[in-house]
Amino acid sequence: MTPRPALDVPAILKEAGLTALVMLGLTVGLVGFRIPDGIGASALETRFGAVAMACGLAFAGRIALILLREKRPRRVLFASTAYAVVVALAQAAPVLFSPAATERWITLRPFDSAVVNGMTVVLAAAFALRAAWMEWRHRRFPGIKERDKAMDAMGARVQRATHFFGPALLLVAVILPFLPMVDRRLLDIAVLVVTYIMLGWGLNIVVGLAGLLDLGYVAFYAVGAYSFALLAINFDLGFWICLPLAGMLAATAGILLGFPVLRLRGDYLAIVTLGFGEIIRIILLNWYQFTGGPDGISGIPKPTFFGLEFKRSASDGGETFHQFFDLTYSPVDKIVFIYYVILGLALITNSFSLRIRKLPVGRAWEALREDEIACRSLGINATNTKLTAFAIGAMFGGIAGSFFATRQGFISPESFTFIESAVILAIVVLGGFGSQIGVVIAAILLIGLPEIFRELQDFRMLTFGGAMVLIMVWRPAGLLAHRTPSIRLSDRGGEP
Amino acid sequence: MTDACTHPQTPLLHVEHLTMRFGGLVAADDVSFKAQDRKITAIIGPNGAGKTTLFNCLTGFYAPTSGRLELNHPTRGECLLERMEGHRIARDAGVARTFQNIRLFARMTVLENLIVAQHNRLMRASGFSFLGLLGFKRYVDAETQAVELARYWLDRIGLTERADWEAGNLPYGDQRRLEVARAMCTEPVLLCLDEPAAGLNPRESADLNRLLTFIRDEHSIGLLLIEHDMSVVMGISDHIVVLDYGRKIADGTPRAVRNDPAVIRAYLGDENDEENDNAMPPKVTADPKGGDV
């Protein structure tokens, strides 16, 4: 290791002291005094111990940050790990130790509130992780470039493995409803996950291929859902007729949005699409006569299997699925059918995006993402190319939306809030822009796991946010961002 | 074709009274010149003389304040470039360009760069993607043809071996040549090169000269060239236009321009004219200014 300049201890102490001072200013009023609850309590309670503790921790935390900045992770690693472990044990003492030991452990708790203690533990753990990563990276790799290369190589390996892994995954997806451990709840989660996979694949066309950051994708999902619901209820059309119509209406919405925002890029585009998403939701909420406003639309017809209904008894004139095939009625049949419908739709989306990447328009999208000016100089009509990306992405969003409507049987504007857009975008970003298998993995991680571990849902958004921050710091292009060329000159070709 | 294109005439490009104002700044002031088929026309001048502005007007990135830019396409007739949108100039009038700071599609492969350049033909062949999606033979054939054209240019610029590399990973000189090849894949009648030799070493510069003369002689198109490297300018150009402060100050063969007193004054400065003391001497090679577009 190369010799490093000595640390400027006074400067560090000064900086940390300032941080502690700021902390003092922030906490002395808010934490230091407390008016006790209840009647009869008169005196103001003071909690200067907590204030001192907060300032001390801010001081130590600042020093840890400085040391990390100066690339000296070892001490930070030890100190923050020790802190995290001790405080976590102190917090968990009543469960872990005998009452006598607990007495002693509890004195080690920095604050009275378990939440605050937990937060400091999480912060210390984050420091420790960062320090550990830095230390490990020092040993393994000389720099960021090498790390990126290694991650790229991993992405490439996963991409290659997809050739074998993909069909296996598909097989699992196809036989999933008949696996012995799959119950109704798991099947419901699978339907949800596949819906998000489809949405992710649809958004991937816009964000991953064309490079247009769309924060309002849920608008098209909403347009699709409401188109389906309104068409089905007002005109008595069936699911399979409404599906393409809803897709087309959503695509039209995509073009309508596309026109005004064509000249915008990056952040500006993101903001306008965000606004568009909200506009659609607010229109749905306020146009009471048309959309039912906050009441939503209920009684949306369920999909039918070539006209056969999935009900216990047929509505007049019809026949049900179980009657036709002479089966005993089972409510799971309907879910299995719904699962296959969304699986089919998702697979269509997937094969469509894989194919279109190899067509001129797909290549033009990618070229547009790389350099719009160069595209113009090559005679590519940037306007139309962007509009097609918007329209096609919106179409798949709309189709997924009509599926959502028919599955739920009830829709209201509440289902189409910004958080939905954020989740879909997170799936695309986490999986890696433009990576189809990445979307699948990310959707399982972000939708499937939280659904399965519902008990821990208090920590859902926390882990969600934490994961996103980690991804942005370490792998801004996404987990599996590896671009496979759309065409090769030679079979052996590739990077050295 | 469109209403902007009618009967053919010579010369290939006729710029008449081109003026481009940015507020109070006159970047191009009443510039007129002609560029011929099968000839390399160089546009030179000190920094800020309006060369890139002229290019941006020609290729539709700026709409000129006034003037007429007439291109005589051998098959499509006369096109008025100042009335056409940016992408239509490349698509319908057959004017291709390269950029001062290379603008390749860095994360796409070398081959993909050349295929994207053939977008419009492939788009028609794929029936605007509908037939292509269904795997029609017509599109498959068109794509094979596009790959053949790309391979031809890859052979010319010596990048066949590295066709599947990401373009951004190529050495600088190769990127320059690839950009020229990409512009040629649009099958233009006029190729505009904005400082193609900037940042090249002498050997790469000589390679580029060979490529440009090859394009002129074998593909019989016109080349328009902005260049600071006088070895390139004097070595290969057939005709030179000199700009200074947005005005044309000389126009002629390399020999005539070299001896023109106005040109010498613009580059070396006048004894009485202190403002021009910092101007470029003609022997400077690469110009490290960061250009727009």
Side-chain angles (χ1 to χ4, degrees), chain A residues 352 355-361 363-364 366-371 373-383 385 483-496, chain B residues 60-61 86-87 90-91 97 99 103 105-109 111-112 115-117 119-120 122-123 126 129 132-133 135 139 143 147 151 154 160 163-166 169 182 186 293:
Chain A
F352 180 88
R355 284 201 81 112
I356 203 135
R357 250 199 90 209
K358 295 180 195 289
L359 287 173
V361 68
R363 294 204 186 99
E366 290 200 72
L368 212 57
R369 178 190 70 199
E370 298 288 309
D371 196 324
I373 286 171
C375 279
R376 274 170 64 192
S377 84
L378 296 174
I380 296 174
N381 187 337
T383 314
T385 312
R483 190 176 173 277
T484 328
S486 65
I487 187 168
R488 282 182 184 281
L489 196 60
S490 56
D491 294 330
R492 67 199 155 76
E495 300 285 324
Chain B
F61 285 94
H87 72 272
R91 191 182 72 192
R97 74 169 288 179
F99 296 88
R103 283 187 175 275
F105 305 123
R107 279 189 297 161
M108 299 175 84
T109 66
L111 179 65
E112 283 175 312
I115 302 282
V116 168
H119 176 80
N120 287 310
L122 286 173
M123 203 65 185
S126 72
S129 303
L133 266 179
Y139 173 65
E143 198 181 59
V147 173
R151 191 195 289 272
L154 285 172
T160 317
D164 298 325
W165 279 37
E166 274 184 24
N169 290 349
R182 186 181 69 181
T186 65
V293 179

Side-chain angles (χ1 to χ4, degrees), chain A residues 387-401:
Chain A
L387 280 180
T388 30
F390 260 116
I392 290 173
M395 181 181 81
F396 286 119
I399 291 174

Side-chain angles (χ1 to χ4, degrees), chain A residues 11 60 78 90 116 127 163 169 217 220 254 311 332 334 337 346 454 464 472 482:
Chain A
F78 293 136
V116 177
F127 277 154
H163 284 293
L169 205 63
Y217 193 61
F220 307 124
K311 281 182 183 167
V332 179
K334 187 180 82 188
F337 175 66
R454 263 234 134 141
F464 190 80
M472 283 301 110
H482 171 78

Side-chain angles (χ1 to χ4, degrees), chain A residues 16 19-25 27 49-61 111:
Chain A
T19 313
L21 212 61
V22 171
M23 186 54 113
L24 180 69
T27 50
V51 174
M53 185 55 85
C55 295
L57 285 178
F59 188 80
F111 301 103

Side-chain angles (χ1 to χ4, degrees), chain A residues 397-455:
Chain A
I399 291 174
S402 39
F403 170 79
F404 174 79
T406 186
R407 180 177 96 106
Q408 301 288 64
F410 167 76
I411 50 171
S412 79
E414 261 171 58
S415 312
F416 308 106
T417 49
F418 169 67
I419 192 74
E420 291 297 315
S421 293
V423 167
I424 303 164
L425 188 66
I427 288 172
V428 174
V429 172
L430 189 70
F433 294 112
S435 166
Q436 298 293 97
I437 191 78
V439 166
V440 176
I441 295 170
I444 292 171
L445 284 179
L446 288 185
I447 307 297
L449 289 188
E451 284 296 325
I452 291 171
F453 299 107
R454 263 234 134 141
E455 297 75 29

Side-chain angles (χ1 to χ4, degrees), chain A residues 36 164 192 247 267 402:
Chain A
F164 312 100
L192 195 66
D267 306 351
S402 39

Side-chain angles (χ1 to χ4, degrees), chain A residues 49 60 72 80 83 93 97 123 137 153 172 193 215 250 263 292 310 332 344 376 386 392 422 441 461 471 487 495:
Chain A
R72 294 179 189 227
S80 50
Y83 177 87
F97 306 116
L123 261 178
R137 201 182 62 188
V172 171
V193 169
L215 289 182
R263 288 171 172 278
F310 289 89
V332 179
R376 274 170 64 192
K386 276 187 192 176
I392 290 173
I441 295 170
M461 291 320 275
I471 285 288
I487 187 168
E495 300 285 324

